[in-house]
Structures are given as structure tokens and as C-alpha cells.
Amino acid sequence: MSRTGRQQNHEVNMKHTTMRLSLLAAGVMLASGGLHADDQDTRAIAERLVDEHFQESTLTREEQIEELMWFAKAAEPFRGMDINTVAEGLTTHIYERDVLADAFTELTGIEVTHNIIGEGDVVNNMQTQMQSGRNIYDGYVNDTDSIGTHIRYGTTINLSDAMENEWADYTLPTLDLDDFIGLQYGTGPDGSVYQLPTQQFANLYWFRYDWFQREDLQKQFRELYGYDLGVPTNWTAYEDIAEFFTEHVGEIDGEKVYGHMDYGRRDPSLGWRFHDSWLSMAGMGSPGVPFGNPVDDWGIRVNEQSQPVGASVSRGGATNSPASVFAVTKMVDWLDKYAPPEASGMTFGEAGPVPAQGNVAQQIFWYTAFTADMTDPELPVTDEEGNPKWRMAPSPTGPYWEEGMKVGYQDVGAWTFFDSTPEDRRTAAWLFAQFTVSKTVSLEKLMAGLTPIRESDIFSEQMTEMAPKLGGLVEFYRSPNESNWTPSSTNVPDYPRMAPLWWQNLSPAVSGDISPKEALDNLARDLDNIMARLARAKVFDTYAPNLNEERDPQYWLDQPGSPKPKLDDEMPQGKTVPYDEMMEAWMAAGSRE
């Protein structure tokens, strides 16, 4: 869909929302014969919440009030109940805890405790609840990376079914699922929605726009490399730019500078560094959005029945394929040669703020969740007016990448519910979940956390006004190509069990103890082994692994598509484009099929 088409689409959705809200308001009035005293009290609370907390919205003030009054009415059977929900410690979820939970409690009489814990702890608690059947939390914000888990175990609530049946009277008439930009990532192969997005951020290329614009540096780069300094579109250019700033520029304004930033400490977050689409950025997987079919961004192949058949090349997977070896080799080399020396001992959280300190030229693997941290006017990466000296842009792709493949990673935190939660508590939590993503509150939440979930918010006047301060974030999400950045796929049958295998197996390669090829062979074998064990245990309701028999890897490398044979030239001529020219093309582009 073109950009104009997307704008028209969300304008139509907004008209439909307005119609639904008008009908909703009329229904409330007819049912009550006018506003009774309780309704008047509820309206007063709704008016105050809008005026105090939710002034920025794509809805009118009256539409917001009517939406809030629906929540109060729907919540009446659960008034006085205490519920517990949980999310990881992102700014967006802290806003949900500190503002939205209190507002919902006041409005509905349902006491919500929105717990903020570590991401790993969220996954561990979720796994325990799924396995034991013991209710720990009434609702989880869980990354859609776990969608493959949720569709298989039979314990996760199918939201599509629930909204048509037991939640028919408790589903917000103006929820507007078509307005969500990441709904497809929490959707199973059968088209059913299992997870409802509440925050979303991407993994992009980040660079110092001001340095790239300097004529002296442009001249020096052209003399050394034979092409222009600009946004790299392939990994060769990224490497050339990393080398240029680290070894040839060396210092800017008396400070040592580096051409690359990353992290390498043996830690669970090192797994994110790799399974968050790093191999697919190099071109390891198959074409097809959102995940690559039949081989996804983990290198796991599925058959036509969506059953995983292997991660190893010997089974038709690509986890230890030449493209994967190339990707891991480059990560290790760049970390060693072009990043600050301390980066190899850092975790994700420690490395994230480093580019904001002002001595890094670019980062190929940068999470937009750090955007808010980059906008402080006191930072060396902003000018006197608070405008960014940096920009974000589409990620460069590796030599194995081909048109139609996903380009990078998108993290989507989404509301997830389990059948082990008592139905009344689950329904009350569903109401709170919808409240946190409703159009009444979603734009204010976006402005607080910069993790968009609604197309209507992205195209709002408020975000147009904020865009110059955000270095390309708004432009990224307004482009139809945004849908080529996607989370882990439905091919991954048990994310909580399988994700740790990445950092455990690849950290020895990062530290130089074994080669990337050895590390990936170990990883692919372990992925296959755990899928085989799960299949034997018969723990899945659907889409159980059915591994291919092992055969000579060359058989699969000789077949069309992924896994792909080693290229004769993995480092072709570097290519760059000027940032402004790239963004024009980016915004004008049509989405890939």
C-alpha cells in the first residue's frame, strides 16, 4: 500500500471510529433513559481524566469521554476486584503503571497492579504458568517473539475466538484492530490473533548526520574508498565507514571516535543481539514477510503444515549456513576492530546509552527504544535547540539478502492471556489491556514512550510536529516499508526454551574461543535436539516439530532458496546514498509483497 493509501486508510478508520462512538453514546443514553447520578459521576471522572492526562488524542474530547464511559459500564461486574498484570521495564510500561493503571482503577473500580520486572523474569513466569497451570499474573505483556509458543501449547487464549464469544460484551467497540501496525506479529498461521500489541520498536541503522555532512570528511572518504560517504546500503560500505572513522579520522574535536558500536558480554542479552534478525539482515533466510517462508530468521525451516523440520543445513535449515557464518564473523570482527574497547564487556543495557555520549559514528544494530534517551538537549548528540545531530535510517543488508526478504527486527510487546487464569480475573485484565491501547490514551502513551502501535497516532498532527526532534522515527513508521522489520516467527516452537541456546552457543565465538562456524554448528544441533525432544514429549496441541532426516548438507545447498551456498564474493563494492535522498525514496516506496 502506498503512503497516500495508508493515510487514506487511517482516515477511513477514524470516520468509522467516530460513527461507532456516536452509536455507543446513543446506546448508553437510551439504556439509561438519560444520565443517572452514577452515570453523571462516571462522566465527571472521565472528563477529569481526559483533561488531566489524555489531552493529546486522535479522538475529540467528547469521543474520549464516551470511550471511557464504556469502560466504566463494561467493568461493573468486576468492580472491587484486584488484578495483577506484568510487563518489562520499558518507559512505555512504566507509563502504563504510573498513569494508566491508576486512571483505570479510578474509572472502573478494578484495582490494577501493573508489575514491572525484568524481561527474562516475565518469560520465566509465563513459562511457569503455562507448564504448571498455576495463575501467577492475570495478564502478561509478552513479546510476540513467543507467537510460535502460544499457537502450539493450547494454553494461550485465542483472542479472535474470545472476542466473538466470552468477551463479546467486553470488547471495546472502538478497539479498531485494523489500526494496529503490528497485529500480524501476534497472529497464527490460521489467521487467529493471540497477542494484542501495546508497544513496538525497531532495530535500525543509526549514524552521526552532522559528521557525515562535513565536507572535509566527505572528501577524505572519497579519496580513500572511491565512493561517497553516506548511508550504507550494504555491509561492505558499513565496514568501510567503520574503518574510516576508527582508523583514519581517529579524533574529532580532540576526542577519540569509533566507527561502530556493539556489545559482547556473555549474558542473555547477547542472544538478542543475534536472534533479533541478525542472520536475516545478512540474507540467510527465505523471502516472505513477515517471517520468511519456509526458512525464517532463526534459520528454522517449516513444511507446508507449519511444522518445524530443522535448523541445521543437514535438515534443510540455515542456522549454520554460509550466510549465517558470514553474519556472525562480521559481528565478531567489527566488535574487535572498530568499537570502543570496553564494548566487548558490555551487555545490551550498558551499551545502549553509549552512542549518546558523542564518540560513535554509526551503529548498524540500534534499537529505537533508545530514541527518547537521545533527545535530551544536554547531550553532545543534540544541538543548542535540542535538534538531533544524528539520524536513523533503514539498515544495510548483507550479500545474501534478496528482494522480498525481511530487512530487520521489530520488537512488539503484546497483551497475552492464559486459560489458567480464572475467567473473571482474565476478563477484567482484558478490559485493562484494551484501556492501555485505546485511542483515548494511545497517543499520550506514544509521546511518553515513543513505541507506536496505531497508524492513526503515527499520522497524527502531534507526531508530525514532534518528527524533527526524533531523527527519522516518525518517517520510518509512516513508510509502508516499515512492515519489513519483523519479530521472531511462528516457526520457533518454544521461544522460552530455545532463545537461551543463542547466547550460550555464540558467546564462545564472540570471545574468540571457537570459530563462528563451530559455534553455529553447535547452535543448530542444539536447536534440532530440543525440537526433537519436544516432539517426542507430545507437549504441543498443534504444529509439532517433525524433523527431516539428516543428509549431506550439499544436497540442501544445491536446492533453490535458503540455505544458500557460499558466495564467491561476500564483500562486493560498497554502496551508499545521501540520507535525504534515501528518505525520499523510503517514503515514496510501495510495500513489498
Side-chain angles (χ1 to χ4, degrees):
M1 185 182 292
S2 67
R3 178 174 176 237
T4 301
R6 291 185 73 191
Q7 288 175 301
Q8 291 173 341
N9 184 56
H10 92 78
E11 287 167 5
V12 169
N13 287 339
M14 288 303 295
K15 289 177 182 176
H16 289 168
T17 297
T18 301
M19 291 172 61
R20 285 191 290 266
L21 282 163
S22 299
L23 293 170
L24 188 64
V28 170
M29 294 291 288
L30 287 170
S32 60
L35 286 176
H36 295 306
D38 288 347
D39 296 316
Q40 291 173 347
D41 291 343
T42 300
R43 184 177 178 89
I45 293 171
E47 288 177 345
R48 184 171 52 75
L49 290 175
V50 169
D51 293 340
E52 288 185 6
H53 298 297
F54 311 128
Q55 294 183 23
E56 303 294 347
S57 172
T58 56
L59 301 182
T60 66
R61 180 176 182 273
E62 187 59 33
E63 288 169 342
Q64 289 179 280
I65 291 166
E66 298 302 338
E67 198 169 66
L68 292 183
M69 291 183 70
W70 178 89
F71 278 107
K73 188 75 175 173
E76 284 179 357
F78 313 103
R79 189 173 293 273
M81 180 179 288
D82 292 345
I83 61 171
N84 281 279
T85 57
V86 69
E88 63 176 296
L90 295 177
T91 302
T92 296
H93 301 316
I94 292 170
Y95 176 83
E96 291 169 347
R97 179 194 66 188
D98 295 347
V99 177
L100 299 186
D102 289 346
F104 182 79
T105 295
E106 183 178 2
L107 180 68
T108 65
I110 299 171
E111 188 73 35
V112 178
T113 301
H114 192 48
N115 298 272
I116 302 298
I117 62 178
E119 181 181 11
D121 294 326
V122 172
V123 174
N124 289 338
N125 279 286
M126 180 190 80
Q127 189 176 28
T128 299
Q129 181 157 342
M130 292 177 73
Q131 292 173 352
S132 69
R134 177 172 61 89
N135 188 50
I136 301 174
Y137 292 104
D138 303 311
Y140 290 77
V141 176
N142 170 231
D143 286 354
T144 62
D145 295 299
S146 292
I147 181 62
T149 311
H150 295 307
I151 65 174
R152 287 180 170 87
Y153 273 97
T155 61
T156 303
I157 297 298
N158 181 320
L159 300 183
S160 296
D161 287 348
M163 286 188 281
E164 291 182 2
N165 295 290
E166 65 266 30
W167 285 347
D169 294 334
Y170 300 104
T171 295
L172 181 64
T174 51
L175 185 59
D176 194 3
L177 292 179
D178 291 340
D179 192 41
F180 283 81
I181 60 176
L183 196 70
Q184 65 271 35
Y185 309 135
T187 300
D190 64 350
S192 294
V193 177
Y194 288 81
Q195 299 180 273
L196 183 69
T198 188
Q199 54 87 357
Q200 185 166 328
F201 58 91
N203 201 317
L204 299 176
Y205 173 74
W206 178 95
F207 72 107
R208 285 294 297 271
Y209 179 77
D210 57 336
W211 293 355
F212 279 48
Q213 295 296 105
R214 281 179 45 167
E215 291 185 5
D216 58 332
L217 296 181
Q218 289 177 347
K219 180 175 182 291
Q220 186 181 1
F221 185 86
R222 193 179 302 110
E223 290 174 350
L224 285 167
Y225 297 97
Y227 61 100
D228 292 335
L229 176 62
V231 176
T233 62
N234 64 9
W235 284 22
T236 305
Y238 183 85
E239 181 171 295
D240 288 345
I241 295 168
E243 179 187 74
F244 173 68
F245 279 99
T246 306
E247 298 182 2
H248 297 287
V249 177
E251 287 188 1
I252 293 179
D253 299 328
E255 183 176 9
K256 172 66 178 169
V257 298
Y258 297 90
H260 173 63
M261 183 59 203
D262 210 333
Y263 63 97
R265 183 176 171 181
R266 180 180 171 84
D267 175 83
S269 66
L270 188 61
W272 314 341
R273 174 63 188 80
F274 288 105
H275 61 62
D276 286 1
S277 302
W278 182 242
L279 306 187
S280 69
M281 289 169 65
M284 171 272 297
S286 299
V289 173
F291 306 126
N293 186 38
V295 179
D296 73 352
D297 58 342
W298 282 38
I300 297 174
R301 174 181 288 270
V302 292
N303 60 23
E304 293 180 357
Q305 291 74 45
S306 299
Q307 294 177 287
V309 295
S312 300
V313 174
S314 59
R315 300 184 193 272
T319 304
N320 56 337
S321 66
S324 302
V325 174
F326 171 81
V328 174
T329 299
K330 284 302 170 188
M331 183 274 172
V332 174
D333 287 351
W334 292 344
L335 177 66
D336 177 59
K337 294 178 181 177
Y338 308 124
E342 61 273 18
S344 62
M346 288 182 167
T347 64
F348 168 81
E350 293 164 344
V354 170
Q357 297 169 9
N359 67 337
V360 173
Q362 60 171 359
Q363 185 167 342
I364 190 173
F365 198 84
W366 182 79
Y367 290 86
T368 62
F370 293 114
T371 302
D373 298 333
M374 287 278 187
T375 59
D376 188 333
E378 302 300 316
L379 291 172
V381 293
T382 57
D383 64 21
E384 294 79 5
E385 285 76 41
N387 296 309
K389 298 178 182 179
W390 50 269
R391 298 290 188 275
M392 60 185 81
S395 315
T397 52
Y400 293 88
W401 189 88
E402 57 191 296
E403 195 70 26
M405 291 182 63
K406 65 181 289 183
V407 182
Y409 178 74
Q410 190 113 228
D411 186 294
V412 182
W415 284 104
T416 312
F417 303 90
F418 298 105
D419 61 7
S420 51
T421 301
E423 187 173 350
D424 57 345
R425 301 180 65 84
R426 191 168 69 228
T427 304
W430 169 241
L431 288 172
F432 175 61
Q434 293 176 93
F435 179 76
T436 68
V437 301
S438 65
K439 291 181 181 179
T440 293
V441 311
S442 61
L443 183 53
E444 284 280 6
K445 189 172 80 166
L446 169 56
M447 296 172 74
L450 300 179
T451 56
I453 53 169
R454 286 189 176 275
E455 194 167 90
S456 55
D457 291 337
I458 285 294
F459 282 98
S460 67
E461 293 179 6
Q462 293 90 334
M463 293 311 293
T464 297
E465 186 176 331
M466 289 181 68
K469 302 285 188 183
L470 301 180
L473 180 73
V474 174
E475 290 82 355
F476 170 76
Y477 276 105
R478 285 183 174 180
S479 168
N481 277 341
E482 171 271 333
S483 60
N484 293 316
W485 275 251
T486 73
S488 298
S489 84
T490 53
N491 295 18
V492 182
D494 193 321
Y495 186 91
R497 280 191 174 94
M498 296 170 71
L501 299 176
W502 287 77
W503 70 271
Q504 292 164 3
N505 279 290
L506 295 183
S507 60
V510 177
S511 62
D513 294 333
I514 62 176
S515 71
K517 179 65 166 66
E518 290 175 281
L520 286 162
D521 285 344
N522 294 338
L523 171 62
R525 183 196 63 238
D526 285 356
L527 291 171
D528 283 347
N529 286 343
I530 201 166
M531 288 191 287
R533 289 204 307 273
L534 290 167
R536 286 195 300 270
K538 300 187 185 306
V539 295
F540 296 125
D541 276 16
T542 56
Y543 310 117
N546 183 18
L547 297 190
N548 288 333
E549 292 296 325
E550 288 197 89
R551 59 197 307 170
D552 185 342
Q554 195 61 46
Y555 167 81
W556 288 102
L557 293 172
D558 288 340
Q559 305 300 313
S562 181
K564 304 166 186 177
K566 181 176 170 60
L567 292 170
D568 293 334
D569 182 8
E570 293 182 315
M571 295 295 283
Q573 172 65 37
K575 294 181 180 179
T576 60
V577 295
Y579 173 77
D580 297 324
E581 180 181 314
M582 167 175 272
M583 292 310 293
E584 281 184 24
W586 174 251
M587 294 305 295
S591 61
R592 301 187 184 107
E593 294 299 327

